[in-house]
Amino acid sequence: MPIFRPPASLSGDTGVIHVVEKEEDLEWALSKGPHPPYMILLNGSLFSREILMQLKGTSRISGLAVAAASPAPSQGFSPGLKCPNDGFGLYSEQHGPEYAHCNGSIWNPWGSGVSYEDFPFPIFLLQDANETEVIKECFRAHNVPAAAGAAPRFPLCAMQLQSHMHAAASTVTCMRRSSLQSTFSINPEIVCDPLLDYNVWSSLKPINASGKVEPEQRLILAATRVDSHSFFWNVAPGAEAAVGSFVSLLAAAQALQAAPGALQLPRNVLFVFFQGETFDYIGSSRLVFDMEQEKFPLRLENIGAFLELGQVSLRNDSVLWMHTDPISRQNQSVDSQVQNLLDVLLSSSSGSNVSLQEPENSQPLPPSSFQRFLRSRNIPGVVLSDHRTAFHNRYFQSIYDTAENIRMSYPEGLTPEERLEFVTDTAKALAEVSTLLARALFSLAGGTGSTESIKADPKTVTRLLYGFLLNSNNSWFQSLIKPDQKGILGPFPQHYVALFSFSFFPLFFPFSPLFLHVFPIFPGPFPQHYMYWWVQGPLQGNSSSRAPGCVRSGVRLSPALSPAFELRRWDSREFSTWTESRWKDIRARIFLVASRELELLTLSLGVLVLLLSLLCTFLINAKASLLFGLPAPPGSSGY
């Protein structure tokens, strides 16, 4: 099925197909071809900013279909910005101007920025090689000239792309239109929606979600993001950008919960998985806003330390970098607490296969959720990543940030269930990161004993990677969801921030620090501290029946909707204002078109037939009495 990127006209955009497999093929569509507009079928390896801007600068192009490249382009491809989330993080002209706009630190050097360009034609992604081949066969059969330089003979193969978007102009315009419709119309037609999902959070020791943590209590906050993005709608594998980090944090939470004495630690640990971070920190900015407005059990002053996992799957020589904020560290109290964090992390890495290093003190934080917290309060914190300066990820925010990008591989001949259980080298490496993080959290929470027994389970990590990157519709994930939600599990997991959905929330239940357990229906102590979830359970032996049960978990949700929409500040420069247009039909079709001369001849003959029909009808009606022997109408009677 083609994946689209708007805009498109109301009735769809149509053009003669032209296949571009090398850059020289563009000349025909851009200048030489006699039958514009053209619908380009582009080889995925040529999908770049330079070519897209050439196509954008001409009226001879009506649409673009991109055949996904396999393997991924070796030179890298990132449609995101060189400075991700620029303007919405910590550094600005008012705060740390020397670091604003990634000054001196280009985090994503492969970023072309094409995701943020406005193109006047629809762009579809073709992921099915069979669909691509059908289009190419039609092109070869009808659109290739018989001789070099000659025009191809009619009929020609054409394509129509239809994905008309209802929204227009900007978030301010479409939200104003939607608001007016909602206010004055009985059946409002909403034209766009804010990007919305849910942050997922839990804690080592249960927290009453409807209560408030005592002001003097200090917690350790461990966070990461769960969403990604690409140029195309709902195609966001995000292996390095998101999956590797949130899988590592889930495994660390499981390892910490299983540690001896974990529930008796002096400090609690809060695990937060942020949604919408790709779009200017939607999830983290909303959580900070809720904390400030006391709409969350914690306040900002309850956060004693902040640990965040950035991109961690592509380590060179098993090195992780510990990034800190140079501005907040100018405060002596914060600096000493940050130094304590660094010391704890370094001691936790001893004896492991992970080496920790710290960049220069003058280097700013990479793009991270932690930046949104620092905008409101100086909090000691560290961001762990596999890169010192520029990302190692050459496919950041692209369709190629897949399992192959983080070097996941399996022996040939394995069944899907065997692949689910096979522990890859990537899973082993990420389990080391999870072990390091769990040990550090144990120490930061006040643990004084040895941490050598705390180890993340590589089996858990490999199952999570397989489920979130390759096939979520597997037996393990099936056992963790409600019977009526089987449909949310598909073969190709995506991590695009959704609209009004729970995404993969049910799958976070088993990895809550409280860990799930199936129990009789009667409630346990402090039921307000938990959520309850009925799951399908595992298969029983070789039969198709399952052993369902009720799960008690401390996993909770908080809204990941930008505060700009709560405050109705749709032009905000402080908060994210991303929206998504609504649409009705998404279609693509190919067909043959006749020459303009034949079309005009057909139209002329049709008009001629219409005129002759009208003339014949008039004559027959005028002579109806003579032709059909009808009696004359009676005359007027007289008295």
Side-chain angles (χ1 to χ4, degrees):
M1 179 180 178
I3 306 299
F4 73 98
R5 178 183 174 90
S9 63
L10 185 60
S11 58
D13 293 271
T14 303
V16 174
I17 294 173
H18 182 64
V19 175
V20 176
E21 295 187 329
K22 55 185 184 297
E23 195 165 350
E24 293 75 18
D25 295 338
L26 276 175
E27 187 178 5
W28 180 266
L30 295 176
S31 59
K32 291 184 176 180
H35 306 299
Y38 285 96
M39 190 69 66
I40 302 296
L41 175 60
L42 185 68
N43 187 309
S45 61
L46 298 176
F47 190 61
S48 65
R49 180 180 181 86
E50 292 72 25
I51 286 181
L52 283 173
M53 299 314 286
Q54 287 185 61
L55 300 179
K56 179 181 178 179
T58 177
S59 60
R60 292 172 58 89
I61 305 300
S62 60
L64 177 62
V66 181
S70 181
S74 59
Q75 70 274 18
F77 173 71
S78 172
L81 299 172
K82 293 183 182 296
C83 185
N85 292 0
D86 186 23
F88 291 88
L90 174 63
Y91 308 111
S92 64
E93 284 76 8
Q94 292 74 37
H95 185 89
E98 65 272 29
Y99 307 124
H101 312 299
C102 297
N103 185 25
S105 300
I106 300 301
W107 299 107
N108 183 29
W110 292 274
S112 63
V114 293
S115 285
Y116 301 87
E117 292 286 345
D118 181 21
F119 293 96
F121 47 77
I123 304 176
F124 277 47
L125 173 67
L126 299 176
Q127 295 177 294
D128 188 335
N130 292 328
E131 292 179 346
T132 303
E133 190 57 34
V134 167
I135 298 172
K136 287 183 177 180
E137 286 179 1
C138 188
F139 167 79
R140 289 190 289 262
H142 299 280
N143 295 8
V144 177
R153 300 177 60 182
F154 286 94
L156 299 176
C157 187
M159 181 160 58
Q160 182 184 60
L161 303 180
Q162 188 164 353
S163 60
H164 178 67
M165 299 287 107
H166 296 330
S170 65
T171 288
V172 174
T173 301
C174 79
M175 288 300 295
R176 185 178 66 247
R177 290 178 181 177
S178 296
S179 178
L180 289 172
Q181 285 273 344
S182 301
T183 303
F184 298 108
S185 175
I186 297 175
N187 298 308
E189 183 175 347
I190 306 301
V191 296
C192 69
D193 301 287
L195 292 184
L196 164 68
D197 213 296
Y198 293 89
N199 297 323
V200 181
W201 64 273
S202 186
S203 55
L204 180 63
K205 293 180 281 189
I207 293 176
N208 186 353
S210 60
K212 290 288 183 290
V213 172
E214 295 298 327
E216 66 277 3
Q217 187 175 349
R218 296 292 180 267
L219 295 86
I220 312 302
L221 196 154
T224 191
R225 66 175 60 189
V226 296
D227 69 297
S228 186
H229 177 43
S230 80
F231 186 84
F232 298 97
W233 176 81
N234 208 31
V235 183
E240 161 74 342
V243 177
S245 56
F246 77 68
V247 163
S248 298
L249 186 56
L250 286 169
Q254 185 191 49
L256 179 61
Q257 184 275 335
L263 297 181
Q264 286 75 47
L265 291 171
R267 284 185 171 185
N268 204 351
V269 180
L270 185 74
F271 297 91
V272 183
F273 300 85
F274 290 116
Q275 266 283 12
E277 296 301 273
T278 302
F279 294 94
D280 300 332
Y281 304 118
I282 293 174
S284 55
S285 63
R286 177 54 185 267
L287 188 64
V288 171
F289 178 80
D290 286 347
M291 286 182 174
E292 293 175 332
Q293 301 296 316
E294 297 194 359
K295 296 179 180 178
F296 192 76
L298 274 70
R299 304 171 183 85
L300 286 172
E301 53 265 31
N302 291 124
I303 303 175
F306 197 110
L307 272 181
E308 180 174 352
L309 280 186
Q311 301 180 65
V312 295
S313 304
L314 295 175
R315 305 196 307 279
N316 285 338
D317 300 322
S318 299
V319 175
L320 281 184
W321 293 88
M322 302 181 292
H323 299 272
T324 59
D325 171 43
I327 298 178
S328 61
R329 292 189 69 177
Q330 294 173 7
N331 180 296
Q332 187 174 358
S333 173
V334 173
D335 182 60
S336 64
Q337 294 177 74
V338 171
Q339 191 58 53
N340 178 62
L341 265 174
L342 297 173
D343 293 340
V344 169
L345 285 166
L346 286 169
S347 64
S348 300
S349 67
S350 62
S352 71
N353 292 326
V354 180
S355 173
L356 292 179
Q357 296 186 28
E358 185 181 1
E360 296 81 3
N361 290 338
S362 60
Q363 181 175 304
L365 286 169
S368 53
S369 306
F370 184 38
Q371 292 197 29
R372 290 300 303 195
F373 285 79
L374 287 173
R375 283 177 64 138
S376 298
R377 183 181 177 87
N378 282 342
I379 299 171
V382 175
V383 177
L384 295 174
S385 75
D386 56 22
H387 55 89
R388 174 177 169 270
T389 51
F391 296 161
H392 290 167
N393 186 4
R394 295 175 299 159
Y395 307 109
F396 182 70
Q397 294 182 358
S398 87
I399 60 175
Y400 303 114
D401 190 9
T402 60
E404 289 77 14
N405 185 36
I406 60 172
R407 304 161 189 157
M408 279 179 62
S409 61
Y410 297 87
E412 292 185 6
L414 295 184
T415 65
E417 285 301 306
E418 289 171 338
R419 286 159 67 94
L420 173 67
E421 301 294 336
F422 181 80
V423 179
T424 63
D425 290 339
T426 302
K428 294 174 184 176
L430 289 178
E432 292 282 353
V433 176
S434 301
T435 297
L436 162 68
L437 185 61
R439 291 175 178 178
L441 291 173
F442 182 86
S443 298
L444 290 170
T448 56
S450 172
T451 59
E452 290 185 4
S453 62
I454 302 176
K455 291 185 179 179
D457 181 14
K459 180 74 74 174
T460 296
V461 175
T462 204
R463 285 176 163 186
L464 288 168
L465 289 174
Y466 180 81
F468 282 116
L469 285 176
L470 297 176
N471 184 10
S472 61
N473 192 17
N474 60 70
S475 59
W476 192 46
F477 277 21
Q478 283 282 1
S479 69
L480 307 176
I481 61 172
K482 289 182 176 181
D484 60 349
Q485 288 187 328
K486 291 184 290 185
I488 71 169
L489 300 179
F492 303 109
Q494 302 298 337
H495 306 289
Y496 174 76
V497 56
L499 293 176
F500 309 109
S501 80
F502 281 73
S503 297
F504 282 104
F505 164 65
L507 303 181
F508 281 87
F509 267 104
F511 317 109
S512 160
L514 297 178
F515 207 59
L516 69 83
H517 57 277
V518 178
F519 63 99
I521 298 303
F522 56 82
F526 307 111
Q528 69 273 20
H529 291 179
Y530 304 95
M531 289 186 70
Y532 300 86
W533 200 266
W534 188 260
V535 299
Q536 292 192 115
L539 290 170
Q540 294 181 310
N542 296 324
S543 68
S544 59
S545 61
R546 295 182 177 272
C550 187
V551 171
R552 183 178 75 174
S553 176
V555 175
R556 299 296 181 124
L557 296 178
S558 68
L561 171 67
S562 171
F565 300 102
E566 292 282 308
L567 303 171
R568 297 177 68 85
R569 287 164 45 188
W570 302 323
D571 59 349
S572 172
R573 294 301 302 165
E574 180 182 2
F575 300 113
S576 170
T577 55
W578 284 95
T579 54
E580 183 175 279
S581 175
R582 290 195 179 184
W583 65 88
K584 288 184 179 177
D585 295 323
I586 305 169
R587 292 200 303 267
R589 64 189 183 107
I590 60 174
F591 51 91
L592 297 180
V593 293
S595 67
R596 184 58 56 90
E597 292 77 10
L598 181 58
E599 289 177 342
L600 290 175
L601 176 61
T602 303
L603 176 63
S604 301
L605 288 175
V607 172
L608 179 61
V609 170
L610 173 64
L611 294 176
L612 289 174
S613 300
L614 292 174
L615 178 62
C616 291
T617 302
F618 173 77
L619 294 175
I620 292 172
N621 185 62
K623 303 295 183 180
S625 58
L626 178 64
L627 292 173
F628 303 109
L630 298 177
S636 58
S637 301
Y639 296 93

